[in-house]
Amino acid sequence: MTEQLYYTDPRLADFEARVLQQEQNADRWAVILDRTAFYPEGGGQPADQGQLNDLQVIDVQKRGEEILHYLPEPLPGEAVVRGRIDWPRRFEFMQQHTGQHIISASLIIAAGYPTISAYLGDRYTAVEIDSDAIREEEIVAAEALANRRVSQNLPVHIHWIRPEEAENYNLRKPPPDVERLRIVEIKGVDAAACAGTHVAATGEIGLIKYDGLEKIRGRLRLHWLIGERAYRDTRDKDRLVAALNRELTCGTADILASVQELKNKLREREQRISQIEKLLAEQRAQALQDRAESREGIRLVGESFVSEEPSYVQAVYQNLLDHAKTVACILNRREADLQWWVGCSEDLHLSWKRILPPIFALIGGKGGGRDRSWQGMGSKPEGGQIFLDTLRKAIWDQLLGAKNG
Ligand SMILES: [Zn+2]
């Protein structure tokens, strides 16, 4: 049996104990001491970390009445060891645990939502409520109430009781079926059976901040930043705001208006650019049309763009198809691939199905289309020129061959 020092003195971070037993467990060693301040994983709280002598404690687990400290290698044969707990980490979890009790109580009082389960993570504490919706003002009310409980600096009492005594406490949820119950009571605020470690008074929690929610299996999980974490989050956001002040050269109160103004400007510019792009595409299409290869009144435009904006290339292509008796073969060659558009004006008839698929291999191409316009991609941009030449020949063969035949 291991004496649980974290219950008699939750602030104990440095202690001595006798080694009772050591056993190998896969590639780790489990050490059992006569007493320990290391909290084993349980009640939603992760195991403490720290050292036994100079060895890192990588995990702590409960097995019946014993507590197993897992080490990466065995302890040399000393009878007495010194244990040191990673205190900042443990204290953070004491803040989380106590904070979670207050949050759960506040969610009931301020908004009427009971807690289904709680999770104390390394980044945030999550409280799952029995509801699939919560209003913003309910969250604000619960958060404000929780912080009021913190500033009242209420003492946190621990009581070990028999199950039949549980009715003397207004427990927030039914207690587990065990011989002795450990009740964590914040007088007038909350009482719950809990095996975790807690701060001595609520003032030690410091600050409680709501940090968003997620929906899981039809219920809501509210995320909370408690204690040091809430402070760090506030400090990080202050820095972010200061950086925004510098970037936008404005005061904090004007950040939102400034971003909205930027977005509006950007939208106007985008509209202007798209108008200019349209004009440019018309002119480019006309220039291509003017110097296109021409046979028997039909013009064949074959052009290769290099890493051009796809929307612009497509606009040039569409413009070409608006000209009478025109066939357009347009490529946009980029570093790793190419885009292609192939089509003809309404007054021409070409079977792309017979022309295109047989020469796709030249560009590692794929794609498709309907009637007179096809488009797609190619994985071999280096094959672009030969693809264009072969395409041109096949088009003339089909157009003129059909006419002559
Ligand atoms: Zn607790």
Side-chain angles (χ1 to χ4, degrees):
M1 177 174 170
T2 312
E3 191 191 341
Q4 296 158 296
L5 298 173
Y6 46 84
Y7 281 156
T8 41
D9 182 4
R11 305 195 77 90
L12 186 66
D14 194 327
F15 66 100
E16 284 190 345
R18 283 194 320 113
V19 178
L20 297 183
Q21 198 185 316
Q22 221 181 147
E23 58 191 49
Q24 189 168 3
N25 193 322
D27 57 347
R28 318 187 289 181
W29 273 262
V31 176
I32 299 167
L33 307 171
D34 64 339
R35 48 192 228 140
T36 188
F38 278 91
Y39 182 80
E41 184 183 352
Q45 184 175 334
D48 278 337
Q49 293 173 359
Q51 281 118 32
L52 282 184
N53 286 351
D54 293 327
L55 293 177
Q56 205 65 35
V57 175
I58 47 185
D59 193 13
V60 188
Q61 293 291 329
K62 208 162 181 210
R63 184 177 68 189
E65 298 287 288
E66 295 168 332
I67 290 165
L68 278 58
H69 306 72
Y70 286 97
L71 309 176
E73 52 188 281
L75 272 173
E78 293 119 290
V80 174
V81 286
R82 182 176 176 199
R84 272 166 301 172
I85 289 167
D86 177 347
W87 176 250
R89 182 173 176 278
R90 151 69 88 75
F91 184 67
E92 208 169 292
F93 282 112
M94 287 162 68
Q95 288 180 317
Q96 304 312 301
H97 228 293
T98 322
Q100 183 257 308
H101 288 239
I102 292 177
I103 291 163
S104 291
S106 301
L107 280 166
I108 292 177
I109 291 169
Y113 299 112
T115 294
I116 297 295
S117 66
Y119 157 81
L120 309 188
D122 282 319
R123 277 201 322 105
Y124 59 83
T125 288
V127 174
E128 190 171 324
I129 57 169
D130 192 10
S131 173
D132 62 354
I134 187 165
R135 294 198 315 274
E136 182 72 30
E137 57 266 34
E138 291 176 318
I139 294 172
V140 170
E143 186 189 52
L145 179 58
N147 280 294
R148 211 146 58 233
R149 301 307 191 206
V150 169
S151 58
Q152 286 166 340
N153 198 25
L154 305 164
V156 179
H157 299 290
I158 309 288
H159 312 281
W160 287 95
I161 62 167
R162 295 189 306 277
E164 57 269 28
E165 296 172 274
E167 60 192 33
N168 300 334
Y169 298 88
N170 182 21
L171 295 186
R172 174 161 38 83
K173 54 181 181 176
D177 183 21
V178 289
E179 274 177 38
R180 284 183 79 215
L181 282 173
R182 185 169 180 267
I183 304 298
V184 177
E185 185 193 27
I186 303 166
K187 247 207 159 75
V189 174
D190 187 54
C194 182
T197 54
H198 303 81
V199 295
T202 59
E204 287 183 79
I205 295 168
L207 180 61
I208 293 177
K209 276 183 76 181
Y210 169 70
D211 190 42
L213 55 75
E214 57 183 328
K215 208 168 202 174
I216 285 182
R217 294 178 298 272
R219 288 210 192 99
L220 291 184
R221 259 195 194 182
L222 311 183
H223 293 196
W224 301 85
L225 297 173
I226 300 168
E228 287 294 313
R229 296 172 183 183
Y231 165 69
R232 285 198 296 267
D233 183 65
T234 301
R235 194 191 50 199
D236 290 349
K237 282 178 180 153
D238 281 345
R239 285 182 183 157
L240 178 64
V241 167
L244 287 171
N245 291 147
R246 284 193 300 274
E247 282 296 323
L248 300 167
T249 52
C250 70
T252 303
D254 298 325
I255 287 178
L256 189 61
S258 180
V259 168
Q260 282 163 344
E261 193 191 319
L262 274 177
K263 281 175 78 177
N264 287 339
K265 264 189 199 161
L266 196 63
R267 204 173 300 124
E268 280 166 23
R269 293 272 161 94
E270 272 168 2
Q271 282 168 356
R272 182 91 187 105
I273 286 172
S274 99
Q275 285 166 356
I276 294 170
E277 207 174 76
K278 195 164 164 267
L279 260 171
L280 211 60
E282 280 169 21
Q283 289 174 4
R284 184 70 181 268
Q286 189 58 58
L288 288 172
Q289 174 82 7
D290 290 347
R291 60 178 169 82
E293 190 180 353
S294 172
R295 294 191 201 174
E296 301 188 17
I298 300 171
R299 286 172 192 271
L300 172 52
V301 176
E303 182 70 10
S304 222
F305 290 82
V306 179
S307 297
E308 191 48 87
E309 193 63 44
S311 62
Y312 169 68
V313 181
Q314 189 161 9
V316 173
Y317 168 73
Q318 291 297 348
N319 261 290
L320 284 166
L321 296 196
D322 290 342
H323 292 81
K325 294 224 175 245
T326 301
V327 183
C329 307
I330 303 294
L331 306 186
N332 188 23
R333 290 167 70 161
R334 303 188 290 190
E335 210 159 283
D337 62 10
L338 67 76
Q339 300 167 303
W340 58 265
W341 292 262
V342 173
C344 61
S345 51
E346 265 173 5
D347 49 6
L348 292 176
H349 294 283
L350 276 157
S351 167
W352 295 123
K353 206 179 245 172
R354 277 180 24 224
I355 295 175
L356 284 166
I359 61 170
F360 272 165
L362 296 171
I363 50 166
K366 57 179 180 188
R370 275 190 309 167
D371 307 331
R372 54 192 192 94
S373 180
W374 281 38
Q375 70 178 77
M377 303 285 295
S379 59
K380 292 192 233 162
E382 67 279 11
Q385 192 52 51
I386 182 145
F387 175 73
L388 215 49
D389 293 343
T390 314
L391 188 55
R392 206 180 270 135
K393 186 176 179 311
I395 290 168
W396 284 130
D397 282 353
Q398 199 179 98
L399 281 171
L400 304 180
K403 204 177 170 90
N404 298 339

